[in-house]
Structures are given as structure tokens and as C-alpha cells.
Amino acid sequence: MSNFKNIILLFAVFAFCGILPLRAEDEVSEEAGADEGEAAGVSRNTEFLRDTIIETRLPNLGADGYYEAVETLFKTYEKLLSSKISRGKKGKVGIKVYTNSGPGMSTPLELVDAVIAQLEKRGYGKGDISIVDMSRRKLRDCGFLPKLSEVREGKTDDYKGVNVVDIDSGKYFSKRWFYDNPLTPKSTRYRIIKDIYDPELRKSYLPVPLFLTVDFWINLPVITDMEGLGVCACLGNSSIWNMSNNERFLKQPANASMAAAEVCAIPELRDSLIFNILTFARGQFVGGAIFNARCSFSEPSIMMSANSVALDYIAWETLNKYRRSMGFSPIDPMPPLLNYCRELKIGDWDMRKVKKIYAPVRSGRSSGGK
């Protein structure tokens, strides 16, 4: 019955909006039109991972441990696919990280380094890769950019030769591609004067380096709780933390789940996501986006899947396990975001329909990725 109610609510919201989640001012954008087949190819190649999760164990939380674990995930993925990941026509890759909670709860640098190393092995140079997140200041605080003092002394303002894209700057948008939703910001700086409605208030622009100009992109979230979403991991990092003008959803948490589901359902964004890599070595079960070390957890597990919904279901169960152990009420019932995404065919959280493959790490094969 709860699923039926969620479906009714889903269609009611679509009817209220009267819009498609993604708007293009032209029927087909110049950036995307020529490569429609490529996006579909990525989708076909990763379709088996929409009902498969590959899991491995981190030998340790250092650079060597992450390198060996990520190498295992990539090789297992390629073995299951019977095909190597290789450089495509666009020759670019995007990596979406999470830095909103600050250095204590951001995507581990060691994980990002390991993914970059595997991409380099498959034909991508560092100049072909872009690291993407919301705030340049938070990206800098979390180590994805050098200190400003180092930049003033001549250090290149990037991550070890990899370009860093900050969504808040507005430099990486196309005016043709945005998520359209009638919910307007409540901030005074967006106050509507004389009841004149500004259509820009409806728009949340999406970062072009994650879906129009790349062969594919990889999502590297961490696990936190979040008001409105319940669980913030793969889906939240792909949506709320992946577009401009997102404060309107954060300040209206009742709308956050629907907005996140609609953004994750955008075909161009969904089909160019090759997979998520979710580490359980860094997570927080109370406090939302505000880092609280006392409410954090660490498990030596890391998972890869194109099924963001199944991974977030596991993340939700993990949050509740730690919440109960510390005397906090569990997040209950299951966050509606998971059902919304299920109905939009983004993925299924029913673990009876998901194949889980464990791939052991052969420790000692590598040393720091060298």
C-alpha cells in the first residue's frame, strides 16, 4: 500500500509541475546531439551492473589499500563485461566527489587517486579527467585544490594535474540544459519584487563536464543522513549536490526526494554514469551535512554498481545499524526517495533482484599504484 501511495504522489507531482525534469531550449542541444549513440552505448554496456553489485574489502585505508581495492573492482567489472574500459570519442571522463561536509567526511583522496590511476591505465591522461563538486572553497578545504597561498606562489590550481570543476562558479553550465521545478528559493536575495516572476528561479543548471562532454562519469559519494532524503549517498551526490540553485530543496526538505529522483532520471545524466564506487570506510549516521566525528563509522568495504538505488538501500541499512547501536531512532520508514527512483526505473532496491559478487583483493600486487 505504501508503494501505491508513493506512485500516486509521484504522478501528482508530475501533474502539478506540468514539465519534463530536464528542459532544453532547443529540441536537441548542439553539445549532445551528435553523441546520442555514445550515451546509449554506455547505458547498454553497463546494463548488467544495474542489477549487480561488486564488493571487495579494503586491505587498509591508505593509498595502497585503496589502489588494490579499486584495481580489483575495475578488473572484475571488465571480466563480467568481457570488455575493457577504453578511451571513447570524446576522450574525457568526469569524477563526481562529495565535499559538502568538509574534510572529515569528504570523498577520500586515496579513493580518487586510485580511480585516476585506473583511468590512466586505460588511456586517459590527467588532462582528460575532471573532478566535480559544488564549492571551490570546500574542494580546497578537502585537499582537491592547493592552498591559496601555494597558488599565489605559483602552484597550479588543480588536483595533481586533474582539472577541478566547481558547480557554484557557474562556468560549466549550458543555458540549454537545466532541471526545471516550480519551487522557488526562500532566500531574500531571490525575493521577487512587484510580483514579477523570474523564470530563472525555477532552474537548476547541471554541470556539462558530467554528461555532455565526457565518455562517461563516475560517482564517488560518501554515506551520510540528510533531512528530506533520509540517506544521502549515490543518489544525493548525483542530484542535490550536483546542480545549481539547490538551496531551494535543502530549505524545503519535503521536496528534496522528488527533486533528487527527477534529476537522477534525466536520461543524459543517468546513461552516462558508468558506475558508482561507494566506500564504507567513511560515513556518518547523525548530523546530516555537519561533520560530527562522534557519529561517524568506518567499515573496510567498498562497492561498485550502476544501481544507485540498491547501493543507497544498503547505505540506509548501514546508517540504521549504527543509529540503533548508539541509541538513536532508526530512519523509518524507508526513505521515499528509494521508491520514487524505483518507479522512475533508475534502479531497484529489492535485494532479492540484485546479484552481489564478492571479489577478493590480491594484496601485495601493487604498491601505491606504482
Side-chain angles (χ1 to χ4, degrees):
M1 180 62 70
S2 60
N3 284 351
F4 178 75
K5 290 180 179 178
N6 284 332
I7 296 170
I8 295 298
L9 177 60
L10 187 65
F11 283 106
V13 172
F14 280 135
F16 171 72
C17 295
I19 52 174
L20 291 174
L22 183 68
R23 279 283 187 88
E25 292 183 357
D26 295 339
E27 290 185 3
V28 180
S29 84
E30 293 174 1
E31 295 99 328
D35 298 295
E36 184 178 348
E38 283 186 48
V42 171
S43 177
R44 285 193 299 271
N45 287 343
T46 61
E47 191 62 34
F48 81 95
L49 261 189
R50 298 202 189 279
D51 59 11
T52 304
I53 294 174
I54 305 170
E55 180 181 8
T56 192
R57 185 177 179 87
L58 286 162
N60 59 70
L61 301 184
D64 288 358
Y66 269 105
Y67 182 89
E68 292 171 356
V70 170
E71 182 180 57
T72 298
L73 293 175
F74 268 72
K75 287 187 173 181
T76 304
Y77 170 90
E78 291 173 329
K79 183 177 180 180
L80 291 170
L81 190 64
S82 298
S83 177
K84 294 280 188 180
I85 297 172
S86 59
R87 186 183 175 95
K89 292 181 180 178
K90 294 176 182 176
K92 303 286 185 183
V93 174
I95 297 176
K96 178 65 174 68
V97 298
Y98 176 84
T99 61
N100 188 69
S101 298
M105 199 51 60
S106 63
T107 302
L109 299 177
E110 296 84 359
L111 171 57
V112 177
D113 290 340
V115 170
I116 291 171
Q118 295 305 313
L119 292 172
E120 287 184 295
K121 281 188 170 185
R122 288 156 177 82
Y124 292 96
K126 288 186 175 179
D128 303 324
I129 304 168
S130 293
I131 293 171
V132 182
D133 203 20
M134 295 296 302
S135 164
R136 199 162 190 84
R137 177 181 63 80
K138 290 183 177 179
L139 282 159
R140 199 176 302 282
D141 290 344
C142 294
F144 290 103
L145 286 168
K147 296 178 181 178
L148 288 175
S149 59
E150 295 175 324
V151 175
R152 286 192 289 268
E153 292 173 359
K155 191 168 184 178
T156 306
D157 200 22
D158 58 25
Y159 182 71
K160 303 178 182 179
V162 174
N163 183 42
V164 177
V165 170
D166 54 311
I167 295 170
D168 283 347
S169 70
K171 297 177 182 178
Y172 306 96
F173 300 136
S174 167
K175 67 179 182 179
R176 293 183 173 93
W177 292 96
F178 54 86
Y179 168 66
D180 191 327
N181 186 294
L183 183 67
T184 56
K186 298 299 181 182
S187 171
T188 55
R189 65 192 178 99
Y190 289 115
R191 184 174 295 159
I192 302 172
I193 301 174
K194 296 180 181 180
D195 296 324
I196 298 174
Y197 182 72
D198 182 357
E200 285 296 310
L201 299 181
R202 298 172 57 103
K203 300 177 182 178
S204 290
Y205 288 92
L206 303 167
V208 168
L210 278 191
F211 72 107
L212 292 183
T213 61
V214 295
D215 294 333
F216 56 84
W217 65 284
I218 298 171
N219 192 22
L220 302 181
V222 297
I223 302 170
T224 67
D225 65 327
M226 179 177 167
E227 187 179 7
L229 295 185
V231 57
C232 182
C234 301
L235 295 167
N237 203 45
S238 299
S239 56
I240 299 296
W241 302 114
N242 196 27
M243 59 184 175
S244 68
N245 197 17
N246 66 350
E247 70 271 15
R248 58 191 176 139
F249 305 114
L250 300 176
K251 293 181 178 181
Q252 299 280 340
N255 298 283
S257 289
M258 186 62 65
E262 290 179 352
V263 170
C264 289
I266 293 169
E268 291 82 0
L269 193 66
R270 179 193 62 209
D271 293 344
S272 57
L273 171 64
I274 190 170
F275 45 64
N276 309 274
I277 299 179
L278 181 62
T279 178
F280 288 74
R282 188 172 293 182
Q284 181 171 304
F285 53 92
V286 173
I290 301 173
F291 175 54
N292 185 340
R294 294 181 63 185
C295 295
S296 62
F297 65 87
S298 181
E299 295 183 358
S301 176
I302 187 168
M303 299 182 188
M304 169 192 280
S305 181
N307 188 339
S308 304
V309 183
L311 288 179
D312 276 22
Y313 179 86
I314 296 172
W316 169 61
E317 289 189 318
T318 303
L319 289 176
N320 279 346
K321 176 178 70 175
Y322 285 99
R323 289 174 70 93
R324 290 188 184 97
S325 70
M326 292 287 288
F328 293 100
S329 298
I331 300 169
D332 187 61
M334 183 176 70
L337 170 65
L338 301 181
N339 272 326
Y340 294 159
C341 290
R342 183 188 194 184
E343 299 305 328
L344 291 173
K345 309 300 183 184
I346 297 165
D348 199 330
W349 52 262
D350 188 345
M351 299 307 294
R352 295 171 299 181
K353 301 177 182 178
V354 178
K355 181 188 296 183
K356 205 169 180 182
I357 297 171
Y358 184 79
V361 168
R362 296 180 183 176
S363 188
R365 289 179 299 168
S366 314
S367 177
K370 300 297 182 184

